[in-house]
Amino acid sequence: MAFAGATLGGIGSVVAYALDLGQHWVGLGLAVAFLGVGGGLVAWGHGLMPGGGDVEERPPVGPPAADERAAGASLRDRGAMVGRRGLLGGALATALSATGLAALVPTLSLGPSPGDALRHTAWAGAGAQRLVTREGRAVAVDELQVGGLLTVFPRDHVGDADAQAVLIRLADDVTVRAPAEVSATAAGHVAYSKVCTHAGCPVGLYEAIEQQLFCPCHQSSFDVVEGARPLMGPAARPLPQLPLGVDDEGFLVATGDFSDAVGPGWWSRP
């Protein structure tokens, strides 16, 4: 009876999920299923354990016919017991199957797998894209003064949180360390992801004399000249760098995506 109740509970949970009857009905079905399986196993265990004490008298040598008949009856009872055991095993398997199905079905609500979408931003796959301001205005090479900072986006994706970058104008004689695949500077400009690698806060403060970017949330600082290497604070990973160039009309462009996945690293790293 317990295993049958568990089976009904599991099926009921699946039906409640399929008909969108509410999370309380889905949870109730799962509760009945788990309680039924647990209760049935407890009852079965009690049946397997012998109760009380048994004393067997020493039988006479050469059993009488009555004992032989009793032994035959006992063997027949054993056969019937095996049949009941098979029934219990089948009921348990059915209950576990229904319970497992009820527990797995809600995973359908997780949606499609993101794949590697979190590793790329709108800067990727569209060739050279002009850097634009929040107002959608393209950024010319002579717009920023040395030490100036500006938040920029891809031309057709203004406002994208993961694509936002900080553009900094450095002195012409400053050499910036960068990954091998990234053009470090263009006309004295360097750009990094604005999303802090600690907790995703916007890195929007720049100290021009020390050439450091600061995150106001948890006071992480990054060395702009050393590829945005973290100097202090909880951030442990450099800000991804945006490869830059200049088009034929004198506007700054991004020649590819960031050098690494943007934002906190716990979802992309062990």
Side-chain angles (χ1 to χ4, degrees), residues 47 54 59 64 74 95 110 115 125 133 144 158 184 190 207 210 224 226:
D54 294 323
S74 176
L110 295 177
T133 64
L144 287 179
V158 175
V190 66
E207 209 290 308
E210 298 294 332
V224 171
E226 290 295 321

Side-chain angles (χ1 to χ4, degrees), residues 84-241:
R84 292 195 299 271
R85 184 177 301 171
L87 176 62
L88 286 174
L92 174 60
T94 303
L96 290 176
S97 298
T99 304
L101 180 64
L104 291 176
V105 163
T107 60
L108 298 175
S109 298
L110 295 177
S113 172
D116 62 348
L118 296 177
R119 297 182 177 273
H120 303 288
T121 69
W123 295 106
Q129 298 189 68
R130 284 184 177 179
L131 278 60
V132 299
T133 64
R134 295 184 184 275
E135 296 75 28
R137 175 176 48 81
V139 181
V141 293
D142 57 353
E143 178 170 334
L144 287 179
Q145 299 294 324
V146 174
L149 178 141
L150 185 65
T151 299
V152 295
F153 298 89
R155 181 178 55 188
D156 298 325
H157 298 274
V158 175
D160 276 16
D162 61 343
Q164 59 183 326
V166 285
L167 176 69
I168 302 170
R169 176 69 181 272
L170 302 172
D172 294 336
D173 60 347
V174 174
T175 300
V176 176
R177 180 181 177 184
E181 70 276 9
V182 176
S183 301
T185 58
H189 295 79
V190 66
Y192 295 103
S193 170
K194 192 174 180 177
V195 184
C196 183
T197 54
H198 168 237
C201 297
V203 180
L205 302 177
Y206 178 59
E207 209 290 308
I209 297 178
E210 298 294 332
Q211 296 177 327
Q212 294 180 14
L213 281 167
F214 289 90
C215 176
C217 290
H218 305 99
Q219 289 73 54
S220 293
S221 64
F222 304 88
D223 190 334
V224 171
V225 177
E226 290 295 321
R229 175 177 60 88
L231 296 175
M232 67 177 186
R237 188 166 64 94
L239 296 172
Q241 191 167 350

Side-chain angles (χ1 to χ4, degrees), residues 2-3 35-48 92 96:
F3 291 155
L35 287 174
V37 170
L41 290 175
V42 170
W44 195 351
H46 278 296
L48 294 176
L92 174 60
L96 290 176

Side-chain angles (χ1 to χ4, degrees), residues 10-44:
I11 294 173
S13 179
V14 173
V15 171
Y17 178 86
L19 299 180
D20 197 17
L21 299 181
Q23 296 299 319
H24 54 289
W25 289 112
V26 175
L28 179 61
L30 281 172
V32 171
F34 284 117
L35 287 174
V37 170
L41 290 175
V42 170
W44 195 351

